[in-house]
Amino acid sequence: MFKDKIKPSVVLTLICLIICGLLVFAYEATYVDNTGVITDKLSGGLADVFGSADDFEMLKNDDGTVLTFDGVTSVLSDGKNTAFEITADGYSTGGLHVLVGINEKGSVEGVSIMTIGETPGLGTKVQNKEFLSQFSGLTLEDTSSDGEKSSATGKAVWGTREEIDTLSAQNTPSDDGFTLDAVTGATFSSKGMYGAVKTALNAYNQMGGVNNG
């Protein structure tokens, strides 16, 4: 009687163990390590920033793992130009997935948006070319605490006259000397984008700056 009660449970347990074993075997037999592969999305971002994704490779550590830095998911280089894949917080946590390109002179060549999870119609405006253009030419020195305005002075203005006046009041030099032209109503998203650019410049400096090629 007792054996009849426990028999179904034992059989079910054995079946589950066998299935789990088969799944593990199938996974190990078919697993493909895509670490270090430049995806179509990254290739598109490279072409957007540098005009071409040719000759770019994802940099790796000596042990074969992808090279990363604090806030940087991956680093790509063609020997002269370097691009940093970054996921940053805007209004939404991890709402900004971008590729920041640094040229061989050590200045920002451009920024390409991979994906964006910010508020539609507000935070999503940081992907507009007019906004992103203000980061072109920015260097690490421009983001230092020297109290001077950066030479990258692009404007990004949308909205009513009242909103524009509010934006103008916000456009004061930041503590690190760069005047960020924030999108009206999207301060967090705007600062998140600037933070991503600074992250890339800092990582580039850690790699040796203009001498990393």
Side-chain angles (χ1 to χ4, degrees):
M1 191 75 173
F2 178 72
K3 290 183 178 179
D4 291 338
K5 290 183 177 180
I6 66 171
K7 188 176 181 180
S9 298
V10 173
V11 172
L12 182 60
T13 300
L14 289 174
I15 292 174
C16 290
L17 290 174
I18 293 172
I19 292 175
C20 288
L22 290 173
L23 289 173
V24 170
F25 175 79
Y27 173 79
E28 293 179 345
T30 60
Y31 173 71
V32 177
D33 185 0
N34 289 322
T35 301
V37 174
I38 299 179
T39 63
D40 290 341
K41 186 173 291 186
L42 285 174
S43 293
L46 290 169
D48 185 32
V49 173
F50 295 109
S52 173
D54 294 345
D55 300 324
F56 274 90
E57 296 182 354
M58 190 171 289
L59 302 186
K60 298 183 180 180
N61 297 302
D62 293 337
D63 61 359
T65 58
V66 174
L67 177 65
T68 62
F69 294 92
D70 186 23
V72 177
T73 305
S74 66
V75 184
L76 306 100
S77 177
D78 65 355
K80 294 181 179 180
N81 303 302
T82 310
F84 298 86
E85 181 188 5
I86 297 169
T87 298
D89 294 340
Y91 183 78
S92 303
T93 301
L96 301 167
H97 180 199
V98 304
L99 193 69
V100 181
I102 311 293
N103 59 38
E104 58 185 322
K105 296 180 180 179
S107 62
V108 175
E109 183 71 19
V111 180
S112 181
I113 306 296
M114 302 287 96
T115 57
I116 187 165
E118 299 296 274
T119 305
L122 288 175
T124 53
K125 289 183 178 179
V126 298
Q127 63 188 322
N128 290 13
K129 293 294 185 181
E130 292 84 353
F131 174 81
L132 295 176
S133 65
Q134 67 181 303
F135 301 121
S136 297
L138 198 66
T139 66
L140 184 62
E141 288 72 22
D142 294 324
T143 66
S144 63
S145 302
D146 56 11
E148 296 181 1
K149 183 177 179 179
S150 166
S151 59
T153 57
K155 292 292 182 180
V157 179
W158 297 272
T160 65
R161 170 52 57 187
E162 181 179 355
E163 290 174 329
I164 293 174
D165 290 341
T166 301
L167 176 62
S168 298
Q170 294 174 347
N171 287 340
T172 55
S174 60
D175 293 338
D176 52 19
F178 174 72
T179 300
L180 175 65
D181 292 324
V183 175
T184 302
T187 303
F188 287 106
S189 301
S190 301
K191 289 185 176 180
M193 284 298 305
Y194 179 39
V197 171
K198 290 176 64 177
T199 295
L201 288 168
N202 282 320
Y204 184 77
N205 184 60
Q206 291 180 53
M207 292 175 60
V210 295
N211 297 316
N212 70 3

